[in-house]
Amino acid sequence: MDYKKAYQNWLDQLELSEELRQELEAITDEKEIEDRFYTDLEFGTGGMRGKMGAGTNRMNIYTVAKVTYGLGKYLLRQDIQNWEKGVVIAYDSRHNSRKFAEAAAGVLGKMGVTAYLFEELRPTPELSFAVRELGAAGGIVITASHNPKEYNGYKVYGPDGGQMVTASADALIAEIAKIPDVFGIPMMTLAEGRNQKVIKMVGENMDNAFTKAVTAICKPNPNSELKVVYTPLHGSGNQPVRRVLAELGYRHVTVVPEQELPDGDFTTAPYPNPEDRSVFTLAMALADECGADIIIGTDPDCDRVGVVGRNQKGEFEVFTGNQTGALLVDYYLKTRTDLPDNKVVIKTIVTSELGGLVAKSHGAGVLDVLTGFKYIGECMTDFEQTGDYTFAFGYEESYGYLAGNYARDKDAVVASALVCEMTDYYKKQGKTLYEALIELYKQHGYFIEDVVALTLEGIEGKTKINQIMEKFRQVSFPGFADAKLICFNDYEAGISTDMVSGVKTTIDLPRSNVLKFVFDDYSWFALRPSGTEPKLKIYFSVTGKTAKEAGEKKDLLKQQVTDLI
């Protein structure tokens, strides 16, 4: 794309808002202009995410209108009975989220596709639930999850309540590609849409139904003495998480006051990611004051939850997604004895093997899917249709968990409730959650994980990421410490190579640019370009008989891999 021509095209548009025009005219850095206009903001299989602002490579009302128009065209090409079911739209606490949500509703309404717009910010899992509850044709969530304040995003959901998977997403992307420009997309105002009854507001009734669905998954704990500190990190989790915990009987829940209310600037947590220990600084201080047993924190769109407990020294321990996931799998399977024999736990290919070993110890099957909860949701829908398996629990290492069939996306509301239920269960036995984790390690081996995220922005960054991936496709990596490489999976080629016999087999998963090196002791590492950020992620999972051994092996593997980059 000729970025200078695209830049001038925007300036020549009479439709361009004065705010964005002034933003463009104030730019003096040529590299900044190039970054904004050298490409269109990519709409991938899960939607799009990017910095907000003027430009084809930015999130703004015009790029939102374009992809929504493409979604409308996609739906209108389907069976008329499908698109007439409408589209549900939710949004989080980010700057411009409501504006983008109303724009999406206005475009759909103008096309004759009913838009069910949440009247205020709501968690992403409630959108997934609402699509199913209303029998809608799909859904949209305006969110950039845990990204910094400069970002926003747009995720699309199918009629099952799960994020669009490959075939549907490809068809939608093809429709978007047919739209020549972001300007001139027909749109109605919210008032016009409501008057014409093509934009319908969603509110308290859906909240009640969602709360009922979540609490049905959990065990009531009337008059619980568990002390909880909770932070919504300025996002959409505040009301739904507190309501569910209250209805289940948790009376001692203290919310971090500085992080309670929605705030698109994320003033106390510039990187509002529950994987980052620093976002819990205020919560830890409050937990010390009130003697809390557990700290939970949800990200801005409340689909992921972080957990903080105390170790044997009384120090705060921020659990990884893999640790929390394994604990929840263990607790859920041993306390839900009514689950049938064909129960299955689903996890992603970059999630630790600990949860899989735990699941198998409880007689559950384990299924690995590609990174992204949409693939877990897709399996859940398949199970529901075929009856071959019963979904028990799904999770991924990036702090996303789900139990129950009411939604098709990770849900920090139900996960928060289950974490409290689990912590109280062990507290009544005189144990902390950390002690329960150590017991799992003693039974199944010590698993230590790490992630290296290389930020590589712009054209040069994309090129560098591709070069690294190609290098590792060719690299010879026999093993590390006493672990031997036994399997190399190239998910883009769809080929798994047995490194002992040399036999190649087909990987029965959609193609994805991921490489995974598997060793004979359940250790592995994987490389994956992020689908939502300009990053290359390198995942490590290493096992040992002791924590010290596992940690030393992890450091060695990490050094060997990063030396090759």
Side-chain angles (χ1 to χ4, degrees), residues 400-421:
Y401 319 96
L402 180 67
N405 269 298
Y406 62 92
R408 289 290 182 274
D409 208 346
K410 51 190 177 286
D411 181 8
V413 183
V414 76
S416 295
L418 288 174
V419 165
C420 290
E421 180 186 319

Side-chain angles (χ1 to χ4, degrees), residues 46-268:
M48 66 179 180
R49 187 182 301 184
K51 292 180 179 178
M52 289 178 279
T56 59
N57 191 31
R58 292 290 186 269
M59 278 288 295
N60 51 66
I61 196 169
Y62 305 107
T63 51
V64 167
K66 178 180 177 179
V67 298
T68 306
Y69 192 67
L71 175 60
K73 287 287 189 182
Y74 165 80
L75 293 174
L76 289 167
R77 291 186 190 280
Q78 312 301 307
D79 181 352
I80 190 170
Q81 291 182 335
N82 182 32
W83 67 261
E84 281 190 333
K85 296 174 182 176
V87 175
V88 190
I89 304 172
Y91 56 94
D92 69 4
S93 60
R94 290 181 176 272
H95 291 308
N96 296 313
S97 282
R98 183 177 179 90
K99 180 193 296 185
F100 294 160
E102 289 184 3
V107 170
L108 291 174
K110 193 73 172 180
M111 299 177 78
V113 179
T114 301
Y116 294 94
L117 177 64
F118 274 97
E119 57 191 17
E120 292 179 338
L121 78 167
R122 291 295 191 280
T124 289
E126 185 169 349
L127 178 282
S128 176
F129 170 80
V131 170
R132 296 173 62 80
E133 184 77 359
L134 292 171
I140 299 167
V141 178
I142 306 297
T143 180
S145 187
H146 58 278
N147 283 56
K149 66 179 182 179
E150 295 84 7
Y151 287 79
N152 215 323
Y154 184 113
K155 294 196 293 188
V156 181
Y157 289 71
D160 67 341
Q163 290 186 51
M164 273 193 172
V165 290
T166 307
S168 300
D170 286 347
L172 171 56
I173 291 168
E175 288 294 342
I176 295 170
K178 296 175 185 177
I179 305 170
D181 200 354
V182 297
F183 294 103
I185 305 295
M187 184 190 310
M188 60 172 50
T189 66
L190 177 61
E192 290 171 338
R194 295 188 69 175
N195 287 337
Q196 296 178 33
K197 301 189 186 307
V198 288
I199 298 179
K200 300 180 180 180
M201 306 308 290
V202 182
E204 184 180 0
N205 289 341
M206 191 62 66
D207 297 339
N208 294 339
F210 176 67
T211 300
K212 183 177 179 181
V214 171
T215 54
I217 303 301
C218 307
K219 292 179 179 291
N221 210 343
N223 301 317
S224 170
E225 293 302 317
L226 186 74
K227 293 182 178 179
V228 181
V229 164
Y230 168 58
T231 172
L233 296 179
H234 304 295
S236 61
N238 184 35
Q239 294 185 19
V241 170
R242 293 170 70 178
R243 177 178 176 180
V244 164
L245 292 180
E247 291 197 9
L248 289 169
Y250 299 97
R251 302 175 299 159
H252 307 292
V253 178
T254 306
V255 179
V256 178
E258 299 92 335
Q259 298 175 329
E260 177 180 1
L261 298 180
D263 175 7
D265 286 324
F266 305 112
T267 305
T268 69

Side-chain angles (χ1 to χ4, degrees), residues 31 60 68 100 115 148 154 217 246 267 274 295 303 305 328 360 368 457 503 521 526:
K31 290 293 289 183
N60 51 66
T68 306
F100 294 160
Y154 184 113
I217 303 301
T267 305
I295 300 170
D303 62 354
V305 62
L328 283 170
K360 291 174 183 176
D368 281 340
E457 297 184 323
V503 173
D521 65 346

Side-chain angles (χ1 to χ4, degrees), residues 247-539:
E247 291 197 9
L248 289 169
Y250 299 97
R251 302 175 299 159
H252 307 292
V253 178
T254 306
V255 179
V256 178
E258 299 92 335
Q259 298 175 329
E260 177 180 1
L261 298 180
D263 175 7
D265 286 324
F266 305 112
T267 305
T268 69
Y271 182 48
N273 186 349
E275 295 178 75
D276 184 351
R277 183 185 179 93
S278 67
V279 305
F280 290 108
T281 300
L282 293 171
M284 290 175 184
L286 186 58
D288 275 337
E289 288 179 20
C290 63
D293 300 296
I294 197 75
I295 300 170
I296 52 176
T298 55
D299 66 342
D301 67 324
C302 195
D303 62 354
R304 303 189 310 142
V305 62
V307 179
V308 182
R310 294 185 188 272
N311 60 24
Q312 67 271 33
K313 298 178 183 178
E315 301 166 339
F316 288 114
E317 193 82 26
V318 180
F319 292 86
T320 68
N322 283 306
Q323 292 171 334
T324 301
L327 282 164
L328 283 170
V329 167
D330 179 61
Y331 170 74
Y332 195 76
L333 292 181
K334 71 186 178 187
T335 57
R336 270 59 176 183
T337 54
D338 57 341
L339 288 169
D341 292 339
N342 67 347
K343 56 185 176 290
V344 171
V345 170
I346 311 174
K347 66 182 188 67
T348 67
I349 59 174
V350 295
T351 296
S352 166
E353 293 303 315
L354 177 59
L357 292 173
V358 168
K360 291 174 183 176
S361 74
H362 289 290
V366 179
L367 183 63
D368 281 340
V369 297
L370 291 177
T371 307
F373 217 90
K374 62 184 177 182
Y375 296 111
I376 295 176
E378 182 181 29
C379 289
M380 292 172 65
T381 297
D382 288 344
F383 295 169
E384 197 172 53
Q385 292 171 350
T386 65
D388 292 340
Y389 301 99
T390 298
F391 171 76
F393 196 84
Y395 77 107
E396 54 187 0
E397 51 76 35
S398 56
Y399 290 52
Y401 319 96
L402 180 67
N405 269 298
Y406 62 92
R408 289 290 182 274
D409 208 346
K410 51 190 177 286
D411 181 8
V413 183
V414 76
S416 295
L418 288 174
V419 165
C420 290
E421 180 186 319
M422 173 173 64
T423 305
D424 205 31
Y425 171 86
Y426 289 118
K427 181 181 180 180
K428 289 172 181 175
Q429 297 177 26
K431 300 177 188 175
T432 66
L433 200 57
Y434 183 81
E435 288 170 331
L437 175 65
I438 298 303
E439 288 182 359
L440 281 186
Y441 283 152
K442 288 179 178 178
Q443 182 179 354
H444 300 283
Y446 283 78
F447 285 70
I448 294 183
E449 294 80 34
D450 201 354
V451 179
V452 173
L454 303 177
T455 300
L456 299 162
E457 297 184 323
I459 301 172
E460 297 85 356
K462 281 189 175 182
T463 301
K464 180 64 175 176
I465 288 173
N466 290 335
Q467 289 173 344
I468 294 172
M469 293 299 289
E470 288 310 309
K471 180 176 182 178
F472 274 86
R473 281 189 167 89
Q474 309 300 325
V475 76
S476 174
F477 199 98
F480 71 103
D482 57 351
K484 301 294 186 290
L485 184 70
I486 59 172
C487 183
F488 169 62
N489 293 336
D490 185 335
Y491 292 92
E492 187 168 66
I495 296 174
S496 176
T497 303
D498 185 315
M499 302 305 292
V500 178
S501 67
V503 173
K504 297 180 184 293
T505 55
T506 300
I507 299 174
D508 188 23
L509 290 173
R511 299 292 182 260
S512 182
N513 190 17
V514 182
L515 304 175
K516 186 173 183 179
F517 297 76
V518 183
F519 303 93
D520 59 1
D521 65 346
Y522 293 111
S523 298
W524 55 264
F525 75 91
L527 296 92
R528 181 182 74 90
S530 172
T532 56
E533 300 173 274
K535 292 181 179 180
L536 174 66
K537 292 188 174 182
I538 309 170
Y539 302 82

